[in-house]
Amino acid sequence: MKTNLAWTCGTLANTVAAFQVTKPRHVVSQSKRLILLHASVPTQTATTINIDDSAQRDVFSMEDWARNSGIQTSEGFALNTQDGYDWSVVTTQDLPAGSPVLFAPSHVVLSSSAAEDEFGGNLEACESALAEYADKTDRLPLFRLMVKILAEYEQGTTSSYFPWLNSLPRWFSNGVAMTDACFECLPPYVSWLSRKERDTFSEFLSALRAGYAPLTDQTINDNDLVRWAYNIALTRHNVVVVGKEKRIAPMADMFNHGTFPNVEITYDGDGNCIVTTTENVPAGSPLTVSLGDPTNPSPLFATYGFLSYDASSMFCKAIHLQDEMEELGYDFRDLLFSTETGEMTPKVWDLFLYNLLRVNNENDLAQKFLKACRSNDEETKESYHEQYFAYTLEALREHVNGILSEVDSLTIKANSYDLNTHPRVPFIVAHNNHVQSTFLKVKAQLDAFG
């Protein structure tokens, strides 16, 4: 998320004035309304949050707290759920582009820099330990948010954030929440991404225990609790300054991802969170933000734990060719299969041809083709593709058929697990089925070449 510092005092005042301070609406089916209302009544004697996977989210009390804390929403803003666990935001009224949707004052926003100031030197040893892990120094803001969430959790009902904490999800299906058995049932690319997410959490956990964080030993030694706080920080933050500042704005964290997002979250110079529409949004539409690249949904699966069925493409799963990708200067988002038609981006053909030339010790030809790819010499590239088309086609067929066979085996293995001990199996199977559907379309495209 980018920071918007262009709001002047006058503009901000007008923005705040545009909101209707009315009780937020809920869109829940009538048959479930009484169940949800009954389940969401807060327990007056509770001193901590119940983080069990099956614990009900008390979103209703959070809304009252948000309103009393100065969070304002537009007329028509409504929270939607079908089961009381998964929530989203919809609008019940037409919203023109540029309309204010939500305003959260800075004093309710959780900020990594504010957490750094609050805890001071207590985090230095932890952060030094975390910095020892490669590429983790840019995650210090996330670590600080995680510690802040744990510190508020420890305060129980005396925390000013208790209603917000009690409204948060308990169940996660991302890489952090997966087991080794889960990874073994996923295709290589998404399994690699998911393992990276869990490994990062493990490094956070080790760093937390290596220092003098302002937390009780009971909290620090509770793996499930720390994992929950980490997942909250990971899946609900906004990047304000890359590597330096991350924030979570209660209520603004209720927006789900959309391949075609229609709202944007920004922060003004005073740290207030402002959400506005980026296009005309008709009544009845979900209000969504962008959580990542929609052309490559696998990182979204690994980090956030959801399937983006409306994504138009996915990575070609050539995880075994990462060295060749790096040499070509290609990224995962360049090497895509269309989920709708099975068509391939031209750089997929480049990658497989370059690998063929290298594997067959055609080093001179490989270097010339590499140079053409790096310099965008389309004429030279085309001549190579014409000459070696049949070989590249066969290599692609072998790759696609291999992935299809592998996914079938992985799905069979996943379905053999006991759901009581492996509750994320249906989610993994759904992912594998999505991959299979796309690769069958790619296979049809390749078969059409004869």
Side-chain angles (χ1 to χ4, degrees), residues 185-317:
C185 295
L186 289 168
Y189 175 53
V190 74
S191 177
W192 172 68
L193 289 171
S194 299
R195 284 181 185 272
K196 283 180 62 179
E197 290 294 348
R198 196 184 69 175
D199 289 346
T200 298
F201 163 69
S202 296
E203 291 161 357
F204 271 49
L205 185 61
S206 296
L208 184 68
R209 293 172 178 172
Y212 305 96
L215 303 168
T216 65
D217 289 343
Q218 182 178 356
T219 292
I220 292 174
N221 293 319
D222 189 333
N223 286 6
D224 292 336
L225 174 57
V226 178
R227 183 183 297 107
W228 173 76
Y230 175 83
N231 263 330
I232 294 301
L234 176 68
T235 61
R236 306 183 87 79
H237 77 264
N238 311 128
V239 176
V240 181
V241 180
V242 176
K244 294 184 178 181
E245 175 72 335
K246 289 180 169 67
R247 297 173 185 168
I248 302 175
M251 190 66 85
D253 62 341
M254 299 295 288
F255 294 100
N256 286 338
H257 170 80
T259 297
F260 305 101
N262 50 26
V263 301
E264 182 180 36
I265 299 176
T266 59
Y267 291 86
D268 66 17
D270 294 321
N272 301 301
C273 177
I274 300 167
V275 183
T276 55
T277 55
T278 57
E279 59 185 49
N280 295 329
V281 184
S285 300
L287 297 176
T288 59
V289 298
S290 173
L291 295 177
D293 183 3
T295 65
N296 185 16
S298 292
L300 295 172
F301 177 94
T303 301
Y304 295 96
F306 63 82
L307 283 169
S308 184
Y309 286 109
D310 58 349
S312 61
S313 56
M314 69 170 56
F315 174 58
C316 67
K317 311 302 180 189

Side-chain angles (χ1 to χ4, degrees), residues 135-177:
D135 302 325
K136 295 301 180 294
T137 53
D138 66 333
R139 290 214 172 190
L140 288 178
L142 187 67
F143 182 82
R144 292 161 187 160
L145 282 178
M146 179 189 77
V147 173
K148 173 63 175 175
I149 291 166
L150 288 170
E152 295 297 331
Y153 169 90
E154 285 190 343
Q155 295 182 41
T157 54
T158 64
S159 167
S160 59
Y161 287 99
F162 179 86
W164 173 69
L165 292 169
N166 206 26
S167 75
L168 295 171
R170 276 65 160 181
W171 167 268
F172 293 90
S173 295
N174 59 357
V176 179

